[in-house]
Amino acid sequence: MPELPEVETMVRDLATRVSGRRIREATVHWDRIVGHPDANSFVEGVEGRLIQQVSRRGKFAIFDLDDGSTLAVHRGMTGSLLLRRSIEPDDRFVRARLRLDDGSELRLDDARKFGRLFWTGPEANGWQRPWTRLGPEPLSDDFNPGVLKERLAARRVAIKTALLNQTVIAGIGNIYADETLFLARVHPRRPANQLSPVEIERLYDSMRSVLRDAIDGRGTTFSTYRDVNGRSGNHQQRLLVFGREPDPCVRCGTAIERIVVGARGTHLCIRCQV
DNA sequence: CGATTCCCCTGATAGC
DNA sequence: TGCTATCAGGGGAATC
């Protein structure tokens, strides 16, 4: 499950290795991996372009191209963007590839096919780019507890559901939502708009700390996530509740439990999280 | 506007 | 051992 830390890790790795490279050839092996506009237009749009810059917005990786157009990648659940030499043996679930001008290629490898590629020209032509609909970046300088409070104020859903909603806050997925709520000692089912100021402050501190630590560990590999070199992250060893049931809570020793919140597997300590 | 439901996908896993 | 049913889940669209 590539979330903010995994995408950040990928973007940092790619920034040094593909910036300044030209896309010689794009190939789409499964048409619906292109979310916009369509497979043919995507190929036409990116072929021949120079990659100027790579950045991240939420869980999207954004590639600025030299004609002012934009290529974006969302890895969905099981997608990895692998940077390989073109001559290397192919990976198992490659849905699209971008051959670069230095003998390397980017492969979108995605078993479950929830990943998506996007391309848009300098003018969006009425299409709203999905990464512009996102809430604030949790690690940005202008994100603070007041902003968080305001983002949650009109939300009556469970706090975990609100954290997973990308229009509320960008980049948090199932793993880091659970880790954040554990660290903040907030029960995932609490209505989002009923947290006290102190709890919102704890939530704010926790999410920033959890996300920073995960970036520091190059992300979490839970089943399928791989970095651009095809290697696992390290952060899974540091998870405190996600996938840890029925281990004892590091804080109080009570067995970690798994429940379902908003149709998502949810891991928590029922004693610490109130 | 927010909340809810359905849908897309298929490898991995549990159950028989 | 081998088959089948179920699960996992990010996000978009449709609906209430």
Side-chain angles (χ1 to χ4, degrees):
Chain A
M1 288 156 270
E3 308 179 25
L4 187 155
E6 290 74 32
V7 181
E8 181 67 23
T9 300
M10 170 179 99
V11 163
R12 289 180 186 182
D13 286 347
L14 288 180
T16 54
R17 293 173 63 187
V18 305
S19 299
R21 298 269 66 84
R22 194 172 293 279
I23 300 170
R24 278 269 160 73
E25 183 187 24
T27 316
V28 175
H29 301 284
W30 186 71
D31 281 5
R32 277 187 285 164
I33 208 74
V34 175
H36 182 88
D38 59 73
N40 288 337
S41 314
F42 174 86
V43 169
E44 208 169 298
V46 304
E47 276 187 348
R49 300 272 62 84
L50 204 66
I51 299 170
Q52 290 188 319
Q53 203 175 2
V54 192
S55 58
R56 181 190 61 74
R57 179 75 175 94
K59 303 176 194 173
F60 291 86
I62 313 276
F63 297 73
D64 295 331
L65 307 180
D66 62 342
D67 61 349
S69 68
T70 306
L71 161 63
V73 182
H74 193 295
R75 291 159 55 194
M77 272 181 62
T78 52
S80 286
L81 197 58
L82 302 168
L83 183 61
R84 308 281 203 199
R85 308 292 302 170
S86 288
I87 54 169
E88 283 183 88
D90 211 3
D91 294 277
R92 196 167 163 203
F93 304 110
V94 177
R95 309 302 181 191
R97 75 183 77 232
L98 302 174
R99 198 164 56 76
L100 306 181
D101 61 0
D102 63 347
S104 69
E105 64 181 33
L106 283 167
R107 300 172 181 169
L108 180 56
D109 184 87
D110 183 13
R112 301 274 168 91
K113 300 180 170 177
F114 278 5
R116 288 292 178 270
L117 296 171
F118 304 89
W119 178 82
T120 172
E123 271 91 62
N125 288 333
W127 178 65
Q128 198 188 1
R129 307 168 187 213
W131 54 94
T132 63
R133 288 192 282 253
L134 301 174
E137 283 293 328
L139 294 180
S140 77
D141 290 341
D142 46 10
F143 184 64
N144 57 54
V147 173
L148 180 58
K149 181 181 165 63
E150 171 205 306
R151 303 297 298 169
L152 298 176
R155 304 284 170 172
R156 290 178 296 179
V157 292
I159 182 61
K160 166 146 180 184
T161 304
L163 292 180
L164 293 178
N165 183 339
Q166 301 299 296
T167 68
V168 174
I169 309 164
I172 298 176
N174 208 31
I175 295 174
Y176 300 112
D178 284 2
E179 295 294 304
T180 293
L181 289 166
F182 171 73
L183 208 58
R185 309 198 305 279
V186 171
H187 194 288
R189 288 203 173 113
R190 291 276 301 285
N193 62 353
Q194 283 175 29
L195 300 186
S196 71
V198 171
E199 288 172 324
I200 290 193
E201 190 110 16
R202 287 212 306 263
L203 200 58
Y204 171 83
D205 290 337
S206 300
M207 72 172 69
R208 306 244 302 183
S209 151
V210 160
L211 294 170
R212 284 194 180 114
D213 282 355
I215 291 170
D216 190 56
R218 295 185 52 78
T220 299
T221 294
F222 209 84
S223 71
T224 55
Y225 163 72
R226 295 290 182 275
D227 70 13
V228 297
N229 301 307
R231 288 196 276 265
S232 298
N234 307 308
H235 191 70
Q236 57 278 6
Q237 301 154 341
R238 301 185 218 165
L239 296 177
L240 300 176
V241 287
F242 190 89
R244 284 299 172 114
E245 74 284 7
D247 290 356
C249 166
V250 294
R251 197 166 164 274
C252 79
T254 302
I256 300 299
E257 291 186 24
R258 183 183 183 280
I259 62 175
V260 175
V261 179
R264 295 285 180 266
T266 299
H267 312 74
L268 79 163
C269 171
I270 57 162
R271 184 162 169 203
C272 292
Q273 293 175 256
V274 185

